Amino acid sequence: TYEEVLQLDPEYCRFVLGVVGDDRNSPLAVFGLWLRSQEIPSSPQMPVGSTVLHFGQHKGMTYEEVLHSDPKYCRYMLGDCDVGGNSPMAAFIGWLRDQEIPSSSRMPAGSSVLRFGDH
């Protein structure tokens, strides 16, 4: 239900509010309109590096996974993206500013992320 999503994943609710316009023709838009009338609870405290991206080519990966698997993308985000406010992208860029960007996109053996199958 909408209430369950609101309570269990407030970060997703913030994401929805950031991408949904006034269109009322899609289920996501209807959910976004409902969210506008709700108070979104604060997210459970978690290390920011374990926050999951909900946008772009690395959607579904944590900040840390993106940092170590694609430092070139991280440098691009820091240098070429001018995003302000409370958007998920702005949060990621803010986190990146406090990180040391690796010089190589090579991850330690065994820590690569599968991008196929059930895992």
Side-chain angles (χ1 to χ4, degrees):
T1 66
Y2 287 0
E3 284 288 340
E4 290 172 324
V5 175
L6 179 62
Q7 295 305 313
L8 296 174
D9 200 348
E11 193 65 32
Y12 175 72
C13 294
R14 283 185 196 77
F15 164 74
V16 169
L17 286 173
V19 298
V20 171
D22 291 327
D23 172 27
R24 295 172 189 225
N25 295 325
S26 73
L28 185 64
V30 173
F31 178 52
L33 290 171
W34 178 82
L35 281 172
R36 289 180 182 166
S37 68
Q38 305 301 308
E39 182 175 332
I40 298 179
S42 59
S43 297
Q45 293 300 316
M46 65 169 58
V48 174
S50 65
T51 300
V52 175
L53 289 176
H54 294 288
F55 64 87
Q57 67 189 42
H58 297 299
K59 182 178 180 177
M61 294 176 68
T62 67
Y63 288 6
E64 287 284 345
E65 289 170 335
V66 175
L67 176 66
H68 294 290
S69 68
D70 197 348
K72 183 177 177 182
Y73 175 76
C74 295
R75 284 190 289 281
Y76 161 76
M77 294 295 287
L78 284 170
D80 292 341
C81 292
D82 184 23
V83 177
N86 292 326
S87 72
M89 187 181 295
F92 177 57
I93 292 170
W95 179 82
L96 282 174
R97 288 184 180 127
D98 293 332
Q99 307 305 309
E100 182 176 330
I101 310 297
S103 59
S104 167
S105 62
R106 295 184 121 319
M107 295 178 71
S111 63
S112 297
V113 177
L114 288 177
R115 300 209 185 273
F116 57 88
D118 292 338
H119 304 283

